[in-house]
Amino acid sequence: MVDFDLRSANARLRASNPLIQCITNTVVQQFSANVLLAIGASPAMLDHEADAGQFAGIASGILVNFGTASNHQLLAADAAIDVANIAGKPWVLDPVSVGAVDFRTSRIRRAAADHPTAIRGNASEIAALAGVGLGGRGVDSTDEVDAVLPAAAKLARETGAIVAVSGPTDAVVAHIDGTDRVARISGGHEFMPLVIGTGCSLGAVTVAYLAAVRAGLADPDADVSAVNATEQSANGGAASAKFEAVVAAHAHFAVAGELAADGAKGPGSYSVNFLDALHTVDGDRLAQARIGLDTLTSANETAGEGVQA
């Protein structure tokens, strides 16, 4: 059984103010930077091969997103990933449009083989990366989240990553102590897919929560022993700490997504409200996120283990 302490996850994030290096697509760089600032992290958009590797040694964690990848970004990602793996720093892969075209797919598969801490994508992207689907339509998913959970579990087992699948209800899959765990996070709003950058920036937020775990900073009032997920062996405790961090990132987005709908007249006003809501969400609000925890069985079904309010 995995218990989530989302209050402490949020407290660690805000206490550590992690510096997140974003090698990400040019369409969302400003939005992603604003999102990181709103949640209490610091963004750095260093994505040139000349200094990406050196900066990865300074950063708390790295996001790799090949949405509009240039040759500079591809080489920068290679350098930053190498440094992150040597230093034991968390990095997240966002497999944007994997399966759509051959070269992009080959580069994303190569990155996935380099042991990302987490992989975050929509249902079609996760299925394609796991080798059981063709991918979606550009950045749009053509698959349902529940339908690709077996593929997500397969990907988690093969890569050692926590695998997050975005959709109307997000799902986060982790292979812990021989069991495939699935956390479902409800929330958000129908306007979210209409705002460019919500999915890509969620990858950055996921890195931030993972980096906060590594920092080992906890709420002094909480009964928490923060596990350094990247400097310990791949045991259940380390995997559970990473699982909690990825779930916390998705819960933060889900709660903020609901709050942002208040007063929003459309995608434009919603986008502004969303940044404000991300900043407003604290540990108490995060602890109220609607999360269901299940076990993925060999029959590709889930057995419920209760719901965290």
Side-chain angles (χ1 to χ4, degrees):
M1 184 67 182
V2 176
D3 295 318
F4 299 123
D5 184 353
L6 301 188
R7 284 189 180 88
S8 292
N10 185 259
R12 285 194 296 270
L13 172 67
R14 294 189 181 276
S16 59
N17 182 225
L19 176 62
I20 307 306
Q21 181 178 4
C22 298
I23 301 172
T24 191
N25 91 65
T26 57
V27 178
V28 304
Q29 286 178 345
Q30 180 173 327
F31 188 79
S32 295
N34 284 334
V35 164
L36 284 170
L37 290 169
I39 67 164
S42 295
M45 298 344 206
L46 275 81
D47 60 358
H48 192 283
E49 73 269 22
D51 54 17
Q54 181 181 3
F55 192 81
I58 301 169
S60 307
I62 296 98
L63 169 67
V64 174
N65 175 322
F66 291 146
T68 56
S70 64
N71 287 334
H72 289 304
Q73 285 188 325
L74 293 171
L75 293 171
D78 290 343
I81 289 169
D82 285 346
V83 172
N85 284 338
I86 291 171
K89 295 185 178 185
W91 71 277
V92 170
L93 173 65
D94 189 332
V96 178
S97 298
V98 64
V101 288
D102 292 343
F103 179 72
R104 170 187 298 274
T105 298
S106 68
R107 287 296 310 208
I108 292 172
R109 291 194 185 283
R110 173 175 159 182
D114 281 338
H115 310 294
T117 312
I119 299 170
R120 189 225 66 85
N122 66 38
S124 294
E125 290 164 346
I126 295 303
L129 190 56
V132 297
L134 299 177
R137 188 188 65 176
V139 297
D140 296 326
S141 178
T142 56
D143 294 291
E144 299 295 329
V145 171
D146 278 356
V148 305
L149 289 182
K154 175 177 179 286
L155 191 60
R157 291 191 297 269
E158 291 176 349
T159 64
I162 309 297
V163 178
V165 190
S166 295
T169 296
D170 295 336
V172 178
V173 179
H175 188 68
I176 301 174
D177 293 334
T179 301
D180 295 319
R181 301 283 182 176
V182 182
R184 290 184 176 83
I185 303 101
S186 301
H189 190 266
E190 62 185 8
F191 285 156
M192 291 186 80
L194 303 180
V195 177
I196 290 294
T198 51
C200 294
S201 60
L202 177 53
V205 171
T206 300
V207 182
Y209 270 96
L210 285 164
V213 169
R214 186 177 186 272
L217 297 173
D219 179 353
D221 296 325
D223 184 15
V224 174
S225 177
V227 179
N228 186 330
T230 55
E231 292 184 354
Q232 293 199 16
S233 60
N235 57 27
S240 294
K242 292 187 289 185
F243 189 28
E244 178 180 271
V246 177
V247 169
H250 285 71
H252 198 139
F253 252 55
V255 173
E258 287 188 334
L259 291 174
D262 186 18
K265 297 179 180 180
S269 53
Y270 181 84
S271 177
V272 174
N273 287 357
F274 183 58
L275 287 175
D276 289 343
L278 285 169
H279 183 69
T280 300
V281 171
D282 57 13
D284 289 338
R285 285 182 182 267
L286 201 58
Q288 297 172 14
R290 300 190 303 279
I291 302 173
L293 183 62
D294 302 319
T295 299
L296 192 66
T297 69
S298 58
N300 295 340
E301 298 176 349
T302 51
E305 294 185 357
V307 175
Q308 175 180 325

